[in-house]
Structures are given as C-alpha cells and as structure tokens.
Amino acid sequence: MALKRSFFRTHHILSMYLTSFANRVIAREDEQFDLELLKRAAAIGYKNIEPVAIKDTFIGRHFENLLSKEKYQFVTENGALTDHILDMVSNIKLNFLIIEELEWMHQNYDYTYHHTIASTAIAMRMALDYFLNEDVAMEVGECALVKDIGLGHIPHDVVNKSGRLSKKEQLIIQEHPMYSALLLAHYYGDYMLLPVECALNHHEDMLGSGYPRGIILDRIEVQIVKFADTFDALITARPFRNFFTLDDAFLISEAEIKLGSLDASLLPLVRSYHINFQMIFNKDTIDNSDNSSNEILIT
C-alpha cells in the first residue's frame, strides 16, 4: 500500500488541534503528521462499530435529489442508469460517527457537502465503467464520500470564505487531507484502508505537483476520486469564480490527463462521457484535438 512507500519523507506540521465527534483528541497543534500519528489515531479508534446503510439516512435522499438535476444527467446517461447508481449508493455502509461528520458538513459547509455528494456519484459511475465491478465501484464511492470530512474541522470562515483565500488560508485548506486521513483512521480503527489512503492522496497527481505532500499518485482508485473531485469543482460556481460549462470541463479534464496528471487509461472513459453528453443534449461537435484542449486549459 502507498502508505508504506517512503510516505512521510518530508515534515508536515499541523496548524490545528483535531478532535473527533466523540471528543477524543486525535492530534494537537504543531504536531508532526507522520505514520506514527496515523497509527496512534487508529489505535485509539473504533474497531467494532456496526456500520449503517446510508440509504436509511439523509445522505440517500440527497443522492436522489442530485441525480434528478440536469447538470448531472451525464452521470446517469439521462436517467437510464439512475436506479443502478442509487442501488449501489444504498449499499454503502458507514460508521455512525462518519455519518455525523457528514451531517455536520451538510449543516455548516453546504458547498463542501453538495460537492461531496456530486463527486461521489461521478466517481462511482467512473469506477463502475473502469473496473466493471460493482463492489469496487461502491468502495470507490465510499472513498469519495468520506474524503473531505477533515474540511469540517477547519474554521468555517476559511472554508466558506466569499472571496479568494490568502496564502495562509490556502495553506490551512491544504492540510485538510491530513485531517481527513487521521479522522478516518480513528473512526475505522485502521490506518491501512483505501478510504484513508484516498483521503490523504486525492489532491496529489502523477506529476508530483499536488498537495499536501507532492508525492507521485499511482493508485487508479484514488485517481478516479481525484478526477471526480476536480470535475465537479469545475462545473460548480464558487463565490470567487463562475462555473465552467460541461463542455469546457470535459475539455479541461481531457487536456489535464494528456499532460500527465492522471493515468492515460482514464481518457477513453472521459471522452465517452463527453460524447454521450453531446448526443443527449444535441450539442455541436467539439474538436477534441490536442491543440484545442490545451488552449482551453491555458486560458
């Protein structure tokens, strides 16, 4: 697993005091994030809590609402796969403390929560097509659903700031994968799990230019979650910028893959979604040449 491969080769000092929803101290301000801290979070965590199916929670209802929106019809092929995706979603089970984290996010970090639901739907569809295996797709979906719970522990005025972040605020935001990984190791009672790895690495890339550690991302499940996370961020408006159209978001994503930030094996899937989206909504054919994609990425 990537967690063991020279994973903590640089020093990362936490700027916040981190506690769980059960009020257990997981990490302290100025503590170094490393493998030992992750192990400690798991050792004082929960190993025998029966998980709850999210279909019986508010989360299941929010997936239904999301997949009814026109913007996300490319995920379901204009509704043809809605029931299939919802069936997979309904079979995801989470520790009730993680569900409480998501409920807190829903109540206090609305954009982050909506983005989490949307990127989970995109990641599940992509994983289903890539692996042709529902169990793997649900595992990837679980990873996408829990990857950002650390954001709920960063000050509200930073995460929900209606304007561009300062350099200091950007650095605080870039710590959230570490907080998410620590919380998940604690709630699962195990640091050697895909959701923990995904939470920590979903802002890394294959070029080593991501954060928080600038490692080379190679695990394809994590890359799928990263793609879904980035794609939904592109098509969703923020206070400091407008949203990209689906056409432009597909072109930007295709160009990023061609530049090497993600595995090239994902490109055929992304192109197929783009073509299907154009056919469903009767869009004009868009030139997918390398030059046109790079131009949109640069501008």
Side-chain angles (χ1 to χ4, degrees):
M1 182 178 178
L3 287 173
K4 285 190 170 181
R5 196 177 54 250
S6 65
F7 206 69
F8 302 100
R9 65 178 184 271
T10 57
H11 298 291
H12 298 279
I13 306 302
L14 303 178
S15 65
M16 296 192 327
Y17 200 91
L18 183 65
T19 59
S20 73
F21 249 65
N23 292 318
R24 291 192 185 179
V25 176
I26 299 175
R28 293 171 175 83
E29 184 179 357
D30 295 330
E31 209 165 0
Q32 180 174 315
F33 179 85
D34 57 17
L35 185 57
E36 291 309 310
L37 185 60
L38 204 56
K39 287 181 178 179
R40 189 183 77 195
I44 62 173
Y46 303 86
K47 293 179 171 56
N48 300 310
I49 294 180
E50 189 70 24
V52 178
I54 64 172
K55 68 178 179 181
D56 299 323
T57 71
F58 64 98
I59 302 170
R61 296 193 303 273
H62 292 152
F63 271 105
E64 290 186 36
N65 292 338
L66 176 98
L67 295 179
S68 68
K69 298 183 185 224
E70 181 176 344
K71 182 166 69 171
Y72 295 100
Q73 291 307 296
F74 76 93
V75 177
T76 66
E77 292 187 8
N78 204 26
L81 296 177
T82 300
D83 289 343
H84 191 182
I85 292 174
L86 288 177
D87 283 344
M88 288 193 297
V89 167
S90 71
N91 286 314
I92 295 176
K93 295 182 178 181
L94 295 176
N95 179 316
F96 78 90
L97 289 167
I98 298 176
I99 292 176
E100 287 186 4
E101 291 273 4
L102 291 170
E103 186 170 17
W104 167 260
M105 186 186 294
H106 170 49
Q107 294 172 351
N108 296 278
Y109 299 78
D110 186 63
Y111 165 79
T112 303
Y113 177 77
H114 175 275
H115 170 61
T116 294
I117 297 297
S119 60
T120 299
I122 296 169
M124 287 188 68
R125 169 67 197 280
M126 198 167 191
L128 182 63
D129 291 340
Y130 188 92
F131 293 104
L132 301 177
N133 184 303
E134 287 192 6
D135 290 336
V136 177
M138 285 188 293
E139 185 178 21
V140 171
E142 179 178 344
C143 291
L145 188 57
V146 302
K147 71 184 183 308
D148 279 333
I149 62 172
L151 277 170
H153 292 254
I154 290 177
H156 186 278
D157 59 349
V158 175
V159 177
N160 290 337
K161 183 176 180 180
S162 59
R164 292 196 175 275
L165 298 174
S166 67
K167 182 64 176 177
K168 181 179 179 181
E169 290 167 337
Q170 288 177 16
L171 291 174
I172 292 173
I173 288 289
Q174 288 180 359
E175 292 181 8
H176 83 266
M178 296 185 286
Y179 298 133
S180 293
L182 287 167
L183 289 164
L184 291 173
H186 180 69
Y187 291 141
Y188 285 111
D190 189 348
Y191 69 96
M192 296 290 290
L193 296 175
L194 182 58
V196 178
E197 180 180 352
C198 187
L200 187 55
N201 291 345
H202 73 280
H203 284 293
E204 307 288 358
D205 59 40
M206 290 182 65
L207 301 174
S209 60
Y211 67 83
R213 295 169 300 112
I215 66 165
I216 302 298
L217 179 62
D218 58 1
R219 188 159 183 172
I220 197 67
E221 293 95 333
V222 185
Q223 292 194 44
I224 288 173
V225 172
K226 174 182 175 59
F227 172 87
D229 183 76
T230 303
F231 189 87
D232 186 68
L234 287 173
I235 64 175
T236 306
R238 298 303 310 274
F240 52 86
R241 66 155 173 81
N242 202 353
F243 63 87
F244 287 88
T245 66
L246 280 165
D247 275 328
D248 284 350
F250 277 120
L251 288 172
I252 291 169
S253 301
E254 291 165 20
E256 288 284 359
I257 295 173
K258 291 175 188 175
L259 290 174
S261 67
L262 292 175
D263 194 288
S265 65
L266 297 177
L267 187 58
L269 284 184
V270 179
R271 282 179 166 165
S272 72
Y273 300 152
H274 193 183
I275 292 170
N276 287 341
F277 159 74
Q278 291 174 325
M279 292 175 61
I280 289 171
F281 292 100
N282 297 315
K283 300 295 183 183
D284 294 332
T285 301
I286 294 179
D287 179 11
N288 284 319
S289 67
D290 290 349
N291 289 338
S292 65
S293 295
N294 287 330
E295 286 173 1
I296 288 182
L297 177 68
I298 292 168
T299 57

